[in-house]
Structures are given as C-alpha cells and as structure tokens.
Amino acid sequence: MTDQPTLITGRAFWRGFRRNRIAVAGLAMLLIALAAAVFAPAVAPYDPYAPVAITVESIYQRPGPAHWLGTDDAGKDVLSNFIFGARVSLTVGIFASFISVVIGGLIGISAGYFGGRLERWLMRFTDFMLVIPDLPLIVVIVAITRPSLTNIILVIGLLGWTTTARLVRSQTLSIKERKFVLRARSIGAGHLHILRRHIFPLVLPLLVVNSVLIISLAILNESTLSFLGLSDPTRISWGQMLNYAFERGAMSSRAWWVLVTPGFGIVWLVLGFTLLGHGLEQVLNPRTEWHHLTDHPRMVSLPAPLNPQP
Amino acid sequence: MKSLRFLAARLGWAFLTILFVVTLNFFIFRVLPGDPARAGLRDPRLTREAVEAIRVRFGLDKPVINCVQALNPFEAGDCLVNPLDTQFFIYFGNLLRGELGISYHTNRPVADHLGQMLWNTVLLIGAGQVLAILLGVALGVLAAWKSRTRIDVGALLFSLLAWSLPTFWLGIILLFWGSSRFGLPIGGKLTPGLPFVSQAAMLKDLGRHLLLPTLTYTIVFLGEYMLIMRSTLLDILSEDFILTAKAKGLRTFQILKDHALRNAMLPMVTLIALNLGFTVAGAIQIETVFSWPGLGGAVFNAVGQRDYPMLQGAFLLLAVSVILANLAADLLYSLLDPRVRVD
C-alpha cells in the first residue's frame, strides 16, 4: 500500500461526490427509502397494525385496485406492510452499525497508536472474534434471549466490529509514522491531543466508508434473523414478511407478490448503502484506473498547445 | 526449523481458538436467561422427584464450575469440589468422547444427527464455492483488463447487485422459478420413496436437487470474489514489471496469465479464508429455503423447536469447521508465499 491517507476539505469532498455517479445514485436510493420510512403513516394506504377481519377471499389476493401489491396470509395489504417494514431495517442498520463502528474504532485506534502489549492482546481478541462465524452466534444468542428490537440491535452491533478494528488499526499504524505526529510529540503534545487532532481526522474518512458498508451488513443480518423466525413480533419487518409468506403457503398458492416485494426492499436498501460506500471510497481515496494494459495507455501525455493554430 | 516453528504456532493458535469457542459455547447457554434445561423444570405439574431426576439426568445438580453453583441467577458454591466433577469439565470430557448431548426433540444423541449433516453441508458449500471462485476470478480478470469500459462497469454493477442480494431471498425466487418452470424438486437431498435402479439414477436425482441451491450459492458469493480480483489486478497491472513484459512484446493473454494472475492469487487465498464465516451464514439460509439436510438447516430447525442441545452442537461443529478451514488456508498461504513464515 503506497497511498497515504490525506485530509480532504469539505468543499473538495462535495465536488468529488457530486461528480461520482455511483455515490449519487446510492444516496438518492437511500433518501427515497428514508422518506418512505419517516412518512410511512402518510404514504401507506392502510394501517398495517390495525386488526382486519380475515375471510377465505381476503388472503393472498392478487394485486388489484384495492390492494396494489395484493394481500398476505392474514389478508393485510402488502404495500402498507412493505412501507412500514423499511423502519425496522433502517433502525437496526443505523444503530447496530453505530455500535460496531464505535467499538471497532476505539479498539483499532488504541491498538495502532499505543502498540506494545495492549496491541497484542486487543488484536488477539479481535482474531478470536473474527474466526467465529457471525450469523450462527447471532442466531444462538437471539434464540436464547428474547428477539426484541433492542436485543437484535445489541447483538448484531456487539458482534460486527472485527473488520473495522483491523482496518482502523492498520490505518492508525501508517499515520503514526508520519512526520507531523513526530513533530507534535516533540513539542510536547499529549496523547489525547495527538489522537484528537492528528490521528482521528485522518481515520475518519475510513470510518465513514466502513460504517456505510457495516450498515448494509447489519441490514442483511437483521433480515436473515427475521426470516429464520427470530423477529420482534410486535413490529413488521421485511424478513418477517418473508418468513410468514414462506412458512404459510405463499409458495404453493403461487403468491409471488408476497415473496418478491419484501426482498425488493432489502435489495434496494443494501444496494443503496453499497453504492454509496463504493462511491465514497472512490471520492475519498481516488486511484487511477488506468494501467499498462488499457487500450489507450496514457503513459506519455503531451501537453495541449497553449495557442491552437487558427 | 523456521517452518516447524511456524507450523507449531499456527496449530497452537487454532487449538486456542477452539478452546475459546468451546468455553463460549458452554457459558452462553448457562449465562443467558431462559436456560434450556431449567426452563423445563419450572413446569408446576412436575413432582419434586421428577425434577430431581431431570436435574441428575442433565447433570444440573453439579456445580457449574468451582465456587459457582449456578450462573443465572448467580449462586456461589463450594470451591473445594473436585474440578472434574463440575458441569464445565464434564461437558469438556463428553466432547472429547464425541458426545454432544441428547436432542430434546428426537431424544437421540446429537452427534448421530450432526455427523451425516456435516457431509451434506460440505457437499453443498464445496460445489457452490468452487463455481463462485472460478466465475468470480474470470469476471474479475475481464473487468480489470477492460478497466473503465462498458464491460467493466457492467461487471462491477452486477457484482454489487449480487453482493446486495439476501441469500435466502434469492433462494426463494430461484426455487419459485425453477420448480414451476422446469419442474425441479422443491427441496431435500433425494426424492423420498423413489426406488433407485442404479447408482447413476441416484446421482442424477441428487444433481437435480443440488442444482438450485448451488446456483444460489454461486451467485451470492461470485460478486465479492469478482470485486477483490478486480481491485487486486488493477494494482498489479500498474506495476512496472507489467510494462516490462509488454515492452518485451508478450501477448496480453500471456501477461495476464503468467505475470498478473500469479501475483493476484495470494490475496484471493486470504479472501477465501476470511469468507469461510460468511460461507456458513449462506449455508444456514440456503439449507433452510431448500430443506437441505445439513448443519445450517439443523440450526434453523433447532431454533424453531427450542432444541438447545442440537443448537449448541450445530454451532460448535460449524465454528470448529471454520477454524480448521482457516488453519488449512493459512498453511496453504505459507506454501504459496514462503515470506510469511519469516514473521
């Protein structure tokens, strides 16, 4: 790795961001989802938490004028459930990744900056946690405790910090060796000052990119848990919709609308965060994507003539 | 000499991790509320003798470990008991003898169930991973070589999309489509009750059952392999030795094959090792959707049936497999790149 982390000003960042089509597309997708989640009661045609009378005709109704996306196994409007489901995914994604990134950031920065025995033990612990497969452990813990929204957020958040810790540590290691840190220390700056003013600002871009990716992982984990039957029973989520549909005969009723819709929501959100993260990385850590085998190698670039001949 | 020390360090590390997982697996089921065996004891219809019999049968009358009688709620105990007579060491001893407890659901030893399931999971994961790696590497090479062209952007978007698909949902969609359109089986490993006239007929039936789960697996994992291959190759193709090779007049295909790919294989081995954890996550989802009789499906069923010994056993087996596979990848890496052995 030869690229050195550098500071980027807000204005330069915004300029690069606007030009990056992938990042803008991701952000747009997320804003739409966020608006739907926040204004769900206004947008959704029905209240998904209101009790409805079930009749044989009302379950698994095909999409039609009354129910644009049909009804589910309990005769409820799929479109309304779908809109309200965005709330759980976004809540779990954002809060769980916040926990993960704070823990991973703290462990990574202290291991990288202080080094020595502290680093050895912290990294040994990180390696332990890294090797243990996440999802089975999450399933085991949530299955034994109660699957409430808070529990799900805590378990996913507390187990998802390992990759962040390793990334932040290696970044901190390379920043620590830079001249300005040595200079700051030689004029008597304390650890806290160096960490706050010199290390943290350079680690921050990495943390931002990483947290966006961690959010998408958390959303995937949450929906998987719900699909496996470990969802908060008081809240509608996309994974739960799929669990009910799959377990209660949507397959044999060929009710594709109940199976396709919630998954589309998950893909929309995860893809939005993934595109945003990928784009942010390109903006914050630009690299040339030209190389020696590209068709028009720019190995020698001739300066354009200053005064073009008329 | 150095290699021997490296080998010993790696083996010791894997051993320590397994000890950590075993300990974690023991305490999780005792610290967390809703302790499995005790939950059944709260039934008011049980007589005092029956409660005592169950406690003895599951070993709950013994202290958890020295000085601690029970963990939830916490209860201090005798520190002078023989450590080998505590729940923790009895559990440990049973593990060494290959005993993983008795399933609440079937009342048969957990180990009997899990043995066969492990091989089913390995079969499914193996087929899916091999395909995902081959296709992912091929697509990654293509994207890096044709960097910044439409092919590159297309491959990149496809990979990001594949990465964003929830595995279980892709499985459901493929199952829906494959079973209604092509009459593929809706789940399981073999068609039950079908008399197989020959080995070939059985293999054909197995293949038909494997098709959709493997396809799901391949699509989900292909994206990440492609992304890593692409970014690794982009770095390598900007190195000076590629320019040298080009200047010597070598053909593009030869440069890619002999100069670039060879160097890109190392990061791939690391990624495959790191991915093993996600592999297991994929297995849980795919086996659930396709009712594949493997370890992942066992986790799902155990959760639904509150069959804690089964859940505990399946988790342990999954975690230990990942640790051992990681060890194998580490050793393979050191064979491919002797430099790491110096560290």
Side-chain angles (χ1 to χ4, degrees):
Chain A
M1 286 293 177
T2 49
D3 46 355
Q4 292 274 349
T6 44
L7 262 181
I8 181 165
T9 61
R11 187 171 302 187
F13 168 75
W14 184 235
R15 211 182 307 127
F17 186 86
R18 267 183 317 184
R19 267 198 225 131
N20 189 304
R21 269 188 283 175
I22 289 185
V24 171
L27 187 66
M29 287 170 77
L30 292 178
L31 287 178
I32 294 173
L34 195 66
V38 171
F39 301 110
V43 183
Y46 296 86
D47 176 8
Y49 292 104
V52 290
I54 312 179
T55 60
V56 179
E57 287 82 40
S58 75
I59 64 169
Y60 290 140
Q61 265 180 43
R62 298 193 143 269
H67 301 282
W68 288 2
L69 289 174
T71 59
D72 66 2
D73 60 286
K76 296 209 167 179
D77 184 49
V78 171
L79 178 62
S80 308
N81 283 0
F82 171 67
I83 293 171
F84 272 83
R87 291 183 158 189
V88 169
S89 286
L90 279 171
T91 314
V92 173
I94 290 168
F95 284 99
S97 84
F98 180 76
I99 297 175
S100 297
V101 170
V102 167
I103 298 177
L106 280 177
I107 290 185
I109 288 186
S110 30
Y113 181 76
F114 292 108
R117 193 175 289 175
L118 180 74
E119 179 184 22
R120 257 204 321 280
W121 282 106
L122 284 178
M123 283 302 116
R124 212 165 270 181
F125 181 58
T126 309
D127 282 347
F128 268 143
M129 297 304 289
L130 197 69
V131 171
I132 300 174
D134 272 354
L135 188 71
L137 190 56
I138 295 176
V139 167
V140 165
I141 297 180
V142 175
I144 301 180
T145 57
R146 216 161 28 89
S148 69
L149 196 62
T150 334
N151 274 351
I152 292 173
I153 289 175
L154 280 177
V155 174
I156 293 180
L158 289 176
L159 289 175
W161 51 268
T162 43
T163 46
T164 314
R166 285 175 65 128
L167 279 175
V168 169
R169 171 180 159 266
S170 61
Q171 181 91 332
T172 310
L173 278 177
S174 85
I175 297 168
K176 196 174 76 170
E177 302 303 323
R178 307 271 296 272
K179 288 260 163 46
F180 56 79
V181 175
L182 189 67
R183 287 189 200 127
R185 190 170 297 152
S186 64
I187 57 170
H191 287 314
L192 204 66
H193 176 85
I194 295 177
L195 281 173
R196 208 162 47 107
R197 297 301 300 271
H198 297 291
I199 308 272
F200 186 68
L202 286 179
V203 172
L204 191 64
L206 179 80
L207 272 182
V208 171
V209 172
N210 188 249
S211 63
V212 172
L213 293 175
I214 298 271
I215 291 179
S216 54
L217 271 180
I219 292 176
L220 282 175
N221 273 338
E222 184 275 331
S223 62
T224 308
L225 267 185
S226 306
F227 173 69
L228 295 176
L230 295 169
S231 60
D232 188 330
T234 63
R235 272 168 235 260
I236 294 166
S237 67
W238 290 330
Q240 186 193 51
M241 289 168 73
L242 281 165
N243 173 257
Y244 289 166
F246 189 69
E247 301 264 291
R248 299 178 187 172
M251 285 292 223
S252 44
S253 311
R254 320 246 37 103
W256 53 267
W257 53 93
V258 214
L259 294 168
V260 172
T261 315
F264 177 77
I266 303 170
V267 174
W268 181 273
L269 267 191
V270 175
L271 190 62
F273 279 112
T274 310
L275 291 179
L276 181 64
H278 199 82
L280 278 177
E281 202 174 351
Q282 285 178 347
V283 175
L284 293 170
N285 195 3
R287 51 190 271 177
T288 53
E289 306 219 327
W290 303 108
H291 54 69
H292 299 314
L293 293 185
T294 18
D295 284 340
H296 307 286
R298 309 248 161 130
M299 278 172 284
V300 186
S301 61
L302 295 171
L306 282 174
N307 298 312
Q309 298 296 319
Chain B
M1 190 58 215
K2 255 195 181 127
S3 320
L4 258 180
R5 213 150 82 206
F6 172 81
L7 188 69
R10 288 288 135 179
L11 285 176
W13 179 248
F15 181 70
L16 268 182
T17 320
I18 290 177
L19 276 188
F20 178 73
V21 168
V22 169
T23 313
L24 182 79
N25 197 23
F26 173 80
F27 282 105
I28 276 183
F29 282 83
R30 274 158 188 82
V31 170
L32 293 172
D35 172 326
R38 260 180 312 154
L41 293 180
R42 286 201 204 94
D43 192 332
R45 288 168 298 182
L46 288 178
T47 62
R48 189 179 292 268
E49 288 78 34
V51 170
E52 201 49 44
I54 294 176
R55 283 170 61 86
V56 172
R57 177 160 184 230
F58 288 101
L60 295 175
D61 52 331
K62 306 259 167 68
V64 170
I65 196 161
N66 287 41
C67 304
V68 179
Q69 183 66 34
L71 274 167
N72 187 25
F74 185 82
E75 197 185 310
D78 190 358
C79 288
L80 294 174
V81 289
N82 176 9
L84 293 179
D85 203 31
T86 56
Q87 286 184 38
F88 182 66
F89 284 96
I90 291 174
Y91 168 75
F92 231 100
N94 284 344
L95 276 187
L96 288 181
R97 271 179 276 128
E99 282 170 31
L100 293 164
I102 292 163
S103 161
Y104 289 171
H105 188 66
T106 60
N107 219 1
R108 276 178 45 205
V110 168
D112 290 0
H113 288 290
L114 295 179
Q116 177 57 37
M117 290 172 176
L118 177 65
W119 292 113
N120 289 341
T121 298
V122 168
L123 175 68
L124 180 65
I125 290 184
Q129 281 285 325
V130 168
L131 278 175
I133 291 170
L134 288 179
L135 288 174
V137 166
L139 212 56
V141 171
L142 187 68
W145 173 28
K146 299 283 180 195
S147 155
R148 293 236 147 184
T149 63
R150 262 195 211 144
I151 298 175
D152 181 29
V153 175
L156 190 63
L157 287 180
F158 172 74
S159 303
L160 291 176
L161 179 68
W163 194 87
S164 309
L165 288 171
T167 313
F168 64 91
W169 184 64
L170 180 66
I172 291 177
I173 299 299
L174 287 178
L175 177 56
F176 196 95
W177 176 70
S179 60
S180 60
R181 198 64 195 279
F182 302 101
L184 285 168
I186 55 160
K189 189 183 163 195
L190 290 171
T191 312
L194 201 66
F196 293 115
V197 284
S198 64
Q199 192 81 7
M202 200 186 80
L203 281 178
K204 191 180 161 219
D205 192 51
L206 179 66
R208 277 165 54 85
H209 281 83
L210 258 176
L211 196 64
L212 287 175
T214 310
L215 185 62
T216 315
Y217 216 107
T218 310
I219 295 178
V220 168
F221 281 91
L222 184 146
E224 201 178 0
Y225 290 126
M226 181 264 161
L227 287 176
I228 298 292
M229 197 65 209
R230 176 180 174 273
S231 76
T232 315
L233 263 191
L234 278 180
D235 281 343
I236 292 173
L237 290 180
S238 317
E239 299 259 3
D240 286 339
F241 65 82
I242 297 293
L243 188 61
T244 312
K246 198 179 154 97
K248 281 195 299 189
L250 295 184
R251 265 174 307 156
T252 309
F253 178 72
Q254 203 166 6
I255 300 178
L256 280 175
K257 185 168 74 79
D258 294 341
H259 296 249
L261 256 182
R262 198 163 264 249
N263 285 291
M265 278 342 272
L266 282 176
M268 280 305 281
V269 174
T270 317
L271 177 74
I272 293 168
L274 272 177
N275 246 344
L276 289 166
F278 289 111
T279 307
V280 167
I284 293 182
Q285 301 174 49
I286 292 176
E287 290 177 8
T288 301
V289 171
F290 292 97
S291 327
W292 185 259
L295 282 182
V299 169
F300 171 72
N301 290 331
V303 167
Q305 295 156 347
R306 299 272 175 263
D307 189 347
Y308 290 100
M310 197 72 175
L311 188 58
Q312 203 176 11
F315 172 70
L316 187 69
L317 211 53
L318 283 174
V320 170
S321 318
V322 170
I323 293 168
L324 291 181
N326 246 302
L327 174 71
D330 255 1
L331 296 180
L332 177 68
Y333 195 102
S334 74
L335 273 182
L336 290 175
D337 185 0
R339 280 173 303 177
V340 296
R341 272 177 265 169
V342 181
D343 296 345

